[in-house]
Amino acid sequence: MNRLCIYPNEVAIITGKSMSSSRALIRQIKDVYKKKKHQLVTIKEFCDYEGLPYDEVFNMINKIQHDIKP
């Protein structure tokens, strides 16, 4: 099963930011999307906010490689 949400440790890896900056970024995204404290940020929301390609980030987080040739 593929995950739909993103966590600060993954944001840190993708953006190269520190964990504290990644947590702050997640809070900013929650504010923009008017999410409550307990609600999660989706990969799509993160990508839309940061202007990143959804498919690449989704595949990276879910460890899916579509470029493997048989």
Side-chain angles (χ1 to χ4, degrees):
M1 179 179 286
N2 293 325
R3 278 199 1 228
L4 299 176
C5 56
I6 191 166
Y7 295 99
N9 61 328
E10 295 158 339
V11 171
I13 293 167
I14 292 167
T15 62
K17 295 182 179 190
S18 68
M19 280 299 294
S20 59
S21 294
S22 297
R23 284 190 289 270
L25 179 57
I26 291 287
R27 282 192 299 272
Q28 286 177 324
I29 295 170
K30 283 184 178 187
D31 288 345
V32 167
Y33 287 97
K34 297 179 178 19
K35 289 184 169 265
K36 296 178 182 173
K37 189 174 182 179
H38 70 277
Q39 293 178 311
L40 300 171
V41 172
T42 67
I43 297 169
K44 179 156 180 24
E45 290 166 338
F46 168 75
C47 290
D48 289 346
Y49 185 82
E50 285 294 301
L52 296 172
Y54 172 77
D55 291 339
E56 289 181 38
V57 175
F58 180 85
N59 292 338
M60 180 182 177
I61 290 173
N62 287 291
K63 295 179 175 68
I64 298 171
Q65 296 179 344
H66 293 288
D67 295 333
I68 298 175
K69 295 182 174 98

Coordinates of all heavy atoms in Angstrom, one line a residue:
M1 N 0.8 -1.2 0.0 CA 0.0 0.0 0.0 C 0.9 1.2 0.0 O 1.9 1.3 0.7 CB -0.9 0.0 1.2 CG -1.8 1.2 1.3 SD -2.9 1.3 2.7 CE -4.1 0.0 2.2
N2 N 0.5 2.2 -0.8 CA 1.3 3.5 -0.9 C 0.8 4.5 0.1 O -0.4 4.6 0.4 CB 1.2 4.1 -2.3 CG 1.8 3.2 -3.3 OD1 2.9 2.6 -3.0 ND2 1.3 3.1 -4.5
R3 N 1.8 5.2 0.7 CA 1.4 6.3 1.6 C 1.0 7.5 0.9 O 1.6 7.8 -0.2 CB 2.6 6.6 2.5 CG 2.7 5.6 3.6 CD 3.6 6.2 4.7 NE 4.1 7.5 4.5 CZ 5.4 7.8 4.7 NH1 6.3 6.9 5.0 NH2 5.8 9.0 4.4
L4 N 0.1 8.3 1.5 CA -0.3 9.6 0.9 C 0.2 10.8 1.6 O 0.1 11.9 1.2 CB -1.8 9.6 0.8 CG -2.5 8.5 0.0 CD1 -4.0 8.6 0.1 CD2 -2.0 8.6 -1.5
C5 N 0.7 10.6 2.9 CA 1.1 11.7 3.7 C 2.6 11.8 3.7 O 3.3 10.9 3.4 CB 0.5 11.6 5.1 SG 0.9 10.1 5.9
I6 N 3.1 13.0 4.1 CA 4.5 13.2 4.2 C 4.9 13.7 5.6 O 4.1 14.4 6.3 CB 5.0 14.3 3.1 CG1 6.5 14.3 3.1 CG2 4.3 15.6 3.4 CD1 7.0 15.1 1.8
Y7 N 6.0 13.3 6.1 CA 6.5 13.7 7.5 C 7.7 14.5 7.4 O 8.4 14.6 6.4 CB 6.8 12.4 8.2 CG 5.5 11.6 8.5 CD1 5.2 10.5 7.6 CD2 4.6 11.9 9.4 CE1 4.1 9.7 7.8 CE2 3.4 11.2 9.6 CZ 3.2 10.1 8.8 OH 2.0 9.3 9.0
P8 N 8.0 15.3 8.5 CA 9.1 16.2 8.5 C 10.5 15.6 8.1 O 11.3 16.2 7.5 CB 9.2 16.7 9.9 CG 7.8 16.6 10.4 CD 7.2 15.4 9.7
N9 N 10.7 14.3 8.5 CA 12.0 13.7 8.2 C 12.2 13.5 6.7 O 13.3 13.7 6.1 CB 12.2 12.4 8.9 CG 11.2 11.3 8.6 OD1 10.0 11.7 8.3 ND2 11.5 10.1 8.6
E10 N 11.1 13.2 6.0 CA 11.1 13.1 4.5 C 11.3 14.5 3.9 O 12.0 14.7 2.9 CB 9.8 12.4 4.0 CG 9.8 11.0 4.5 CD 8.4 10.4 4.5 OE1 7.4 11.2 4.5 OE2 8.3 9.2 4.5
V11 N 10.6 15.5 4.5 CA 10.8 16.9 4.0 C 12.2 17.3 4.1 O 12.8 17.9 3.2 CB 9.8 17.9 4.7 CG1 10.2 19.3 4.4 CG2 8.4 17.5 4.5
A12 N 12.9 16.9 5.2 CA 14.3 17.3 5.4 C 15.2 16.6 4.3 O 16.1 17.3 3.8 CB 14.7 16.8 6.8
I13 N 14.9 15.4 4.0 CA 15.7 14.7 3.0 C 15.4 15.3 1.6 O 16.4 15.5 0.9 CB 15.3 13.2 3.0 CG1 15.8 12.5 4.2 CG2 15.9 12.5 1.7 CD1 15.2 11.1 4.5
I14 N 14.2 15.6 1.3 CA 13.9 16.1 -0.1 C 14.4 17.5 -0.3 O 15.0 17.8 -1.3 CB 12.3 16.1 -0.3 CG1 11.9 14.6 -0.4 CG2 11.9 16.9 -1.5 CD1 10.4 14.4 -0.3
T15 N 14.3 18.4 0.8 CA 14.6 19.8 0.6 C 16.1 20.1 1.1 O 16.6 21.1 0.7 CB 13.7 20.7 1.4 OG1 13.8 20.3 2.8 CG2 12.2 20.5 1.0
G16 N 16.6 19.2 1.9 CA 18.0 19.4 2.4 C 17.9 20.4 3.6 O 19.0 20.9 4.0
K17 N 16.8 20.6 4.1 CA 16.6 21.5 5.3 C 16.8 20.7 6.6 O 16.7 19.5 6.6 CB 15.2 22.2 5.3 CG 15.0 23.1 4.1 CD 13.7 23.8 4.2 CE 13.5 24.7 3.0 NZ 12.3 25.5 3.2
S18 N 17.0 21.4 7.7 CA 17.1 20.8 9.0 C 15.7 20.3 9.4 O 14.7 20.6 8.9 CB 17.6 21.8 10.0 OG 16.7 22.8 10.2
M19 N 15.8 19.4 10.5 CA 14.5 18.9 11.0 C 13.6 20.0 11.5 O 12.4 20.0 11.3 CB 14.8 17.9 12.1 CG 15.1 16.5 11.5 SD 13.8 15.8 10.5 CE 12.5 15.5 11.7
S20 N 14.2 21.0 12.2 CA 13.4 22.1 12.8 C 12.8 22.9 11.6 O 11.6 23.3 11.7 CB 14.2 22.9 13.7 OG 15.3 23.5 13.1
S21 N 13.5 23.2 10.6 CA 13.0 23.9 9.4 C 11.9 23.1 8.7 O 10.9 23.6 8.2 CB 14.1 24.2 8.4 OG 15.0 25.1 9.0
S22 N 12.1 21.8 8.7 CA 11.1 20.9 8.0 C 9.8 20.9 8.8 O 8.7 20.9 8.2 CB 11.7 19.5 7.9 OG 12.8 19.5 7.0
R23 N 9.9 20.9 10.1 CA 8.7 20.9 11.0 C 8.0 22.2 10.8 O 6.8 22.3 10.7 CB 9.1 20.7 12.5 CG 9.3 19.2 12.8 CD 9.4 19.0 14.3 NE 10.6 19.6 14.8 CZ 11.8 19.0 15.0 NH1 11.9 17.7 14.5 NH2 12.8 19.6 15.5
A24 N 8.8 23.3 10.7 CA 8.2 24.6 10.5 C 7.5 24.7 9.1 O 6.4 25.3 9.0 CB 9.3 25.7 10.6
L25 N 8.1 24.1 8.1 CA 7.5 24.1 6.8 C 6.2 23.3 6.8 O 5.2 23.8 6.2 CB 8.4 23.5 5.8 CG 8.0 23.4 4.3 CD1 7.5 24.7 3.8 CD2 9.0 22.7 3.5
I26 N 6.1 22.2 7.5 CA 4.9 21.4 7.6 C 3.8 22.3 8.3 O 2.7 22.3 7.9 CB 5.1 20.1 8.4 CG1 6.0 19.1 7.6 CG2 3.8 19.4 8.8 CD1 5.3 18.4 6.4
R27 N 4.2 23.0 9.4 CA 3.2 23.9 10.0 C 2.7 25.0 9.1 O 1.5 25.3 9.1 CB 3.9 24.5 11.3 CG 3.9 23.6 12.5 CD 4.3 24.4 13.7 NE 5.6 25.0 13.7 CZ 6.7 24.4 14.0 NH1 6.7 23.2 14.4 NH2 7.9 25.1 14.0
Q28 N 3.6 25.6 8.3 CA 3.2 26.6 7.3 C 2.2 26.0 6.3 O 1.2 26.6 6.0 CB 4.4 27.1 6.5 CG 5.3 28.0 7.3 CD 6.5 28.4 6.5 OE1 7.1 27.6 5.7 NE2 6.9 29.7 6.6
I29 N 2.5 24.8 5.8 CA 1.6 24.1 4.9 C 0.2 23.9 5.5 O -0.8 24.1 4.9 CB 2.2 22.9 4.3 CG1 3.4 23.2 3.5 CG2 1.2 22.1 3.5 CD1 4.3 22.0 3.1
K30 N 0.2 23.4 6.8 CA -1.0 23.2 7.5 C -1.8 24.5 7.6 O -3.0 24.5 7.5 CB -0.8 22.6 8.9 CG -0.4 21.2 8.9 CD -0.3 20.6 10.3 CE 0.0 19.2 10.2 NZ 0.0 18.6 11.6
D31 N -1.1 25.6 7.9 CA -1.8 26.9 8.0 C -2.4 27.3 6.6 O -3.6 27.8 6.6 CB -0.8 28.0 8.4 CG -0.4 27.9 9.8 OD1 -1.1 27.2 10.6 OD2 0.6 28.5 10.2
V32 N -1.7 27.1 5.5 CA -2.2 27.5 4.2 C -3.5 26.7 3.9 O -4.4 27.2 3.3 CB -1.1 27.3 3.1 CG1 -1.7 27.4 1.7 CG2 0.0 28.3 3.3
Y33 N -3.4 25.4 4.2 CA -4.5 24.5 3.9 C -5.6 24.4 5.0 O -6.5 23.6 4.9 CB -4.0 23.1 3.5 CG -3.4 23.1 2.1 CD1 -2.0 23.2 2.0 CD2 -4.1 23.0 1.0 CE1 -1.4 23.2 0.8 CE2 -3.5 23.0 -0.3 CZ -2.2 23.1 -0.4 OH -1.5 23.1 -1.6
K34 N -5.4 25.3 6.0 CA -6.4 25.4 7.1 C -6.6 24.0 7.7 O -7.8 23.6 8.0 CB -7.7 26.0 6.6 CG -7.5 27.5 6.2 CD -8.8 28.1 5.7 CE -8.7 29.5 5.3 NZ -7.5 30.1 4.9
K35 N -5.5 23.3 8.0 CA -5.7 22.0 8.7 C -5.5 22.2 10.2 O -4.9 23.1 10.7 CB -4.6 21.1 8.1 CG -4.8 20.7 6.7 CD -3.7 19.7 6.3 CE -4.1 19.0 5.0 NZ -4.8 17.8 5.1
K36 N -6.2 21.3 10.9 CA -6.1 21.2 12.3 C -4.7 20.6 12.7 O -4.1 19.9 11.9 CB -7.2 20.5 12.9 CG -8.6 21.2 12.6 CD -9.7 20.4 13.2 CE -11.0 21.1 12.8 NZ -12.2 20.3 13.2
K37 N -4.4 20.8 14.0 CA -3.1 20.3 14.5 C -2.9 18.8 14.2 O -1.8 18.3 13.9 CB -2.9 20.6 15.9 CG -1.6 20.4 16.5 CD -1.5 20.8 17.9 CE -0.1 20.6 18.5 NZ 0.0 21.1 19.8
H38 N -4.0 18.0 14.4 CA -3.9 16.5 14.3 C -3.9 16.0 12.9 O -3.6 14.9 12.6 CB -5.0 15.9 15.1 CG -6.3 16.1 14.5 ND1 -7.1 17.2 14.7 CD2 -7.1 15.3 13.7 CE1 -8.2 17.1 14.1 NE2 -8.2 16.0 13.4
Q39 N -4.3 16.9 11.9 CA -4.4 16.5 10.5 C -3.0 16.4 9.8 O -2.1 17.2 10.1 CB -5.3 17.4 9.8 CG -6.8 17.3 10.2 CD -7.7 18.2 9.5 OE1 -7.4 19.4 9.4 NE2 -8.8 17.7 9.0
L40 N -2.9 15.4 8.9 CA -1.6 15.2 8.2 C -1.6 16.1 6.9 O -2.6 16.4 6.4 CB -1.5 13.7 7.9 CG -1.5 12.8 9.1 CD1 -1.5 11.3 8.6 CD2 -0.2 13.0 9.9
V41 N -0.3 16.3 6.5 CA -0.1 17.0 5.2 C 0.1 15.9 4.1 O 0.9 15.0 4.3 CB 1.1 17.9 5.3 CG1 1.5 18.4 3.9 CG2 0.9 19.0 6.2
T42 N -0.6 16.0 3.0 CA -0.4 15.0 2.0 C 0.8 15.4 1.1 O 1.2 16.5 1.1 CB -1.7 14.9 1.0 OG1 -1.8 16.2 0.3 CG2 -3.0 14.6 1.9
I43 N 1.2 14.4 0.4 CA 2.4 14.6 -0.5 C 2.0 15.6 -1.6 O 2.7 16.5 -2.0 CB 2.8 13.2 -1.2 CG1 3.3 12.2 -0.1 CG2 3.8 13.4 -2.3 CD1 3.4 10.8 -0.6
K44 N 0.7 15.5 -2.1 CA 0.2 16.5 -3.1 C 0.2 17.9 -2.5 O 0.7 18.8 -3.2 CB -1.2 16.1 -3.6 CG -1.7 17.1 -4.6 CD -2.7 16.4 -5.5 CE -3.3 17.4 -6.5 NZ -2.6 18.5 -6.9
E45 N -0.2 18.1 -1.3 CA -0.2 19.4 -0.7 C 1.2 20.0 -0.6 O 1.5 21.1 -0.9 CB -0.9 19.4 0.6 CG -2.4 19.2 0.6 CD -3.0 18.8 1.9 OE1 -2.3 18.4 2.8 OE2 -4.3 19.0 2.0
F46 N 2.1 19.1 -0.2 CA 3.5 19.5 -0.1 C 4.1 19.9 -1.4 O 4.7 20.9 -1.6 CB 4.3 18.4 0.6 CG 5.8 18.6 0.5 CD1 6.5 19.5 1.3 CD2 6.6 17.8 -0.5 CE1 7.9 19.7 1.2 CE2 7.9 18.0 -0.6 CZ 8.6 18.9 0.3
C47 N 3.8 19.1 -2.4 CA 4.3 19.3 -3.8 C 3.7 20.6 -4.4 O 4.5 21.4 -5.0 CB 4.1 18.2 -4.7 SG 5.0 16.7 -4.3
D48 N 2.5 20.8 -4.2 CA 1.8 22.0 -4.7 C 2.4 23.3 -4.0 O 2.7 24.3 -4.7 CB 0.3 22.0 -4.4 CG -0.4 21.0 -5.3 OD1 0.2 20.6 -6.3 OD2 -1.6 20.7 -5.0
Y49 N 2.6 23.2 -2.7 CA 3.2 24.3 -2.0 C 4.6 24.6 -2.4 O 5.0 25.8 -2.5 CB 3.1 24.0 -0.5 CG 3.5 25.2 0.4 CD1 2.6 26.2 0.7 CD2 4.8 25.3 0.9 CE1 3.0 27.3 1.5 CE2 5.2 26.3 1.7 CZ 4.3 27.3 2.0 OH 4.7 28.4 2.8
E50 N 5.4 23.6 -2.6 CA 6.8 23.8 -2.9 C 7.1 23.8 -4.4 O 8.2 24.1 -4.8 CB 7.7 22.6 -2.3 CG 7.8 22.7 -0.8 CD 8.7 23.9 -0.4 OE1 9.8 24.0 -0.8 OE2 8.2 24.8 0.3
G51 N 6.1 23.5 -5.2 CA 6.3 23.6 -6.6 C 7.1 22.4 -7.1 O 7.9 22.6 -8.1
L52 N 7.0 21.3 -6.5 CA 7.8 20.1 -6.9 C 6.9 19.1 -7.7 O 5.7 19.1 -7.5 CB 8.3 19.4 -5.7 CG 9.3 20.2 -4.8 CD1 9.6 19.5 -3.5 CD2 10.6 20.4 -5.6
P53 N 7.5 18.3 -8.6 CA 6.7 17.3 -9.3 C 6.2 16.2 -8.4 O 7.0 15.5 -7.8 CB 7.7 16.8 -10.4 CG 9.1 17.0 -9.8 CD 8.9 18.3 -8.9
Y54 N 4.9 16.1 -8.4 CA 4.2 15.1 -7.5 C 4.7 13.7 -7.8 O 5.0 13.0 -6.8 CB 2.7 15.2 -7.7 CG 1.9 14.1 -7.0 CD1 1.7 14.2 -5.6 CD2 1.5 13.0 -7.7 CE1 1.0 13.2 -5.0 CE2 0.8 12.0 -7.0 CZ 0.6 12.1 -5.7 OH -0.1 11.1 -5.0
D55 N 4.7 13.3 -9.0 CA 5.1 11.9 -9.3 C 6.4 11.5 -8.8 O 6.6 10.4 -8.2 CB 5.0 11.6 -10.8 CG 3.6 11.6 -11.4 OD1 2.7 11.5 -10.6 OD2 3.5 11.8 -12.6
E56 N 7.4 12.4 -8.9 CA 8.8 12.1 -8.5 C 8.8 12.0 -6.9 O 9.4 11.0 -6.4 CB 9.8 13.1 -8.9 CG 10.0 13.0 -10.4 CD 11.0 14.1 -10.9 OE1 12.0 14.4 -10.1 OE2 10.9 14.6 -12.0
V57 N 8.2 12.9 -6.3 CA 8.2 12.9 -4.8 C 7.4 11.7 -4.3 O 7.9 11.0 -3.4 CB 7.6 14.2 -4.2 CG1 7.5 14.2 -2.7 CG2 8.5 15.4 -4.7
F58 N 6.2 11.4 -4.9 CA 5.4 10.3 -4.5 C 6.2 9.0 -4.6 O 6.3 8.2 -3.7 CB 4.2 10.2 -5.3 CG 3.3 9.0 -4.9 CD1 2.4 9.1 -3.9 CD2 3.3 7.9 -5.6 CE1 1.5 8.1 -3.6 CE2 2.5 6.8 -5.3 CZ 1.6 6.9 -4.3
N59 N 6.9 8.8 -5.7 CA 7.7 7.6 -6.0 C 8.9 7.5 -5.0 O 9.2 6.4 -4.5 CB 8.1 7.5 -7.4 CG 7.0 7.3 -8.4 OD1 5.9 6.8 -8.0 ND2 7.2 7.7 -9.6
M60 N 9.5 8.6 -4.8 CA 10.6 8.6 -3.8 C 10.2 8.2 -2.4 O 10.8 7.4 -1.8 CB 11.3 10.0 -3.8 CG 12.4 10.1 -2.9 SD 13.0 11.8 -3.0 CE 14.3 11.8 -1.8
I61 N 9.1 8.8 -2.0 CA 8.6 8.4 -0.6 C 8.2 7.0 -0.6 O 8.4 6.3 0.4 CB 7.5 9.4 -0.2 CG1 8.1 10.8 0.0 CG2 6.7 8.9 1.0 CD1 7.1 11.9 0.3
N62 N 7.5 6.5 -1.6 CA 7.0 5.2 -1.6 C 8.0 4.1 -2.2 O 7.7 3.0 -2.3 CB 5.7 5.1 -2.3 CG 4.6 5.7 -1.5 OD1 4.2 5.2 -0.5 ND2 4.1 6.9 -1.9
K63 N 9.2 4.6 -2.5 CA 10.3 3.8 -3.0 C 9.9 3.0 -4.2 O 10.1 1.8 -4.3 CB 10.8 2.8 -1.9 CG 11.4 3.6 -0.7 CD 11.9 2.7 0.4 CE 12.6 3.4 1.4 NZ 11.9 4.3 2.3
I64 N 9.2 3.6 -5.1 CA 8.8 3.0 -6.4 C 9.8 3.5 -7.5 O 10.0 4.7 -7.6 CB 7.4 3.4 -6.8 CG1 6.4 3.0 -5.7 CG2 7.0 2.9 -8.1 CD1 5.0 3.5 -5.9
Q65 N 10.3 2.5 -8.2 CA 11.2 2.9 -9.3 C 10.6 2.4 -10.6 O 10.4 1.2 -10.8 CB 12.6 2.2 -9.1 CG 13.3 2.7 -7.9 CD 14.7 2.1 -7.7 OE1 14.9 1.1 -8.3 NE2 15.5 2.7 -6.9
H66 N 10.2 3.4 -11.4 CA 9.6 3.0 -12.7 C 10.6 2.9 -13.8 O 10.3 2.5 -14.9 CB 8.6 4.1 -13.1 CG 7.4 4.1 -12.2 ND1 6.4 3.1 -12.2 CD2 7.0 5.0 -11.2 CE1 5.5 3.4 -11.3 NE2 5.9 4.5 -10.7
D67 N 11.9 3.2 -13.5 CA 12.9 3.2 -14.6 C 13.7 1.9 -14.7 O 14.6 1.8 -15.4 CB 13.9 4.3 -14.4 CG 13.2 5.7 -14.5 OD1 12.2 5.8 -15.3 OD2 13.7 6.7 -13.9
I68 N 13.2 0.9 -13.9 CA 13.9 -0.4 -13.9 C 13.5 -1.1 -15.2 O 12.3 -1.3 -15.5 CB 13.5 -1.3 -12.7 CG1 13.9 -0.6 -11.4 CG2 14.1 -2.7 -12.8 CD1 13.5 -1.3 -10.2
K69 N 14.5 -1.6 -16.0 CA 14.3 -2.3 -17.2 C 14.5 -3.7 -17.0 O 15.5 -4.1 -16.4 CB 15.2 -1.7 -18.3 CG 15.0 -0.3 -18.6 CD 15.9 0.2 -19.7 CE 15.5 1.7 -20.1 NZ 16.2 2.7 -19.5
P70 N 13.6 -4.6 -17.5 CA 13.8 -6.1 -17.4 C 14.9 -6.6 -18.1 O 15.5 -6.1 -19.0 CB 12.4 -6.6 -17.9 CG 11.7 -5.5 -18.6 CD 12.4 -4.2 -18.2

